[in-house]
Amino acid sequence: MLIRRETFADTDAIAAVHRSAFVTPDGGEPAEATLVTQLRADPSWIPELSMVADVDGDVVGHVLLTHATVGNHRVAALGPIGVASDVQGAGIGAALMHAVLGAADALDVPLVGLLGHLDYYPRFGFVPAADVGITPPDPEWSSHFQVRTLARYDPAITGEFRYAAPFLEL
């Protein structure tokens, strides 16, 4: 498996990964696939932090980070992350997480925020956002809103986490 930056040629395969990972009851387009398309067209897009898992030339997973803010500090938002349903449980999601967090750290991103499962993300160093003085944009998210601090983290980064506009249009 190779974790690499997405290329233009990966666009359709990435959408297929998210369709496979996030099946809707009515068989329609999952919000995650639509969100990726909208984020690509948004100023929050960070091309270096949209990564795919490639197995023998096939894209089987995808993760991305986009610009977000806490106060006047630029941070990053994680999501979506998806792994094709037929290869879930094989460590692909974990490999994507490690790669994108390492790349973000190398680019001096101070912290990454996400709304996610409490049993999954802490294994990658995510903690409740409230523990570092960060609040989610929606108070109802408080129990599942988490952050991962990186090398450039500054404890002065506190306040409300603000996602890019496409996240708020879901």
Side-chain angles (χ1 to χ4, degrees):
M1 173 176 44
L2 172 67
I3 305 296
R4 61 173 174 78
R5 281 178 59 174
E6 84 165 65
T7 67
F8 179 75
D10 297 321
T11 302
D12 291 342
I14 290 168
V17 163
H18 290 294
R19 283 186 203 105
S20 173
F22 302 101
V23 177
T24 62
D26 64 359
E29 189 77 355
E32 293 79 3
T34 303
L35 178 60
V36 171
T37 300
Q38 292 171 338
L39 287 169
R40 275 193 196 100
D42 192 80
S44 66
W45 184 251
I46 309 171
E48 300 86 352
L49 298 177
S50 182
M51 308 180 97
V52 297
D54 180 317
V55 176
D56 299 326
D58 292 324
V59 172
V60 297
H62 176 249
V63 65
L64 70 106
L65 298 180
T66 51
H67 291 295
T69 58
V70 174
N72 62 359
H73 300 276
R74 183 172 267 187
V75 298
L78 189 143
I81 179 170
V83 175
S85 61
D86 61 332
V87 293
Q88 288 178 359
I92 294 167
L96 285 165
M97 287 294 298
H98 288 298
V100 80
L101 291 172
D105 199 37
L107 292 174
D108 292 331
V109 173
L111 72 81
V112 175
L114 62 79
L115 180 64
H117 202 282
L118 299 175
D119 291 334
Y120 184 73
Y121 293 102
R123 73 183 76 177
F124 304 105
F126 283 85
V127 299
D131 289 0
V132 295
I134 296 174
T135 58
D138 183 335
E140 291 183 20
W141 299 355
S142 293
S143 64
H144 287 76
F145 194 72
Q146 304 166 62
V147 297
R148 169 66 156 85
T149 60
L150 301 172
R152 291 289 183 174
Y153 171 68
D154 179 344
I157 302 173
T158 60
E160 183 179 325
F161 189 95
R162 288 186 299 279
Y163 281 98
F167 280 98
L168 305 176
E169 297 166 3
L170 289 178

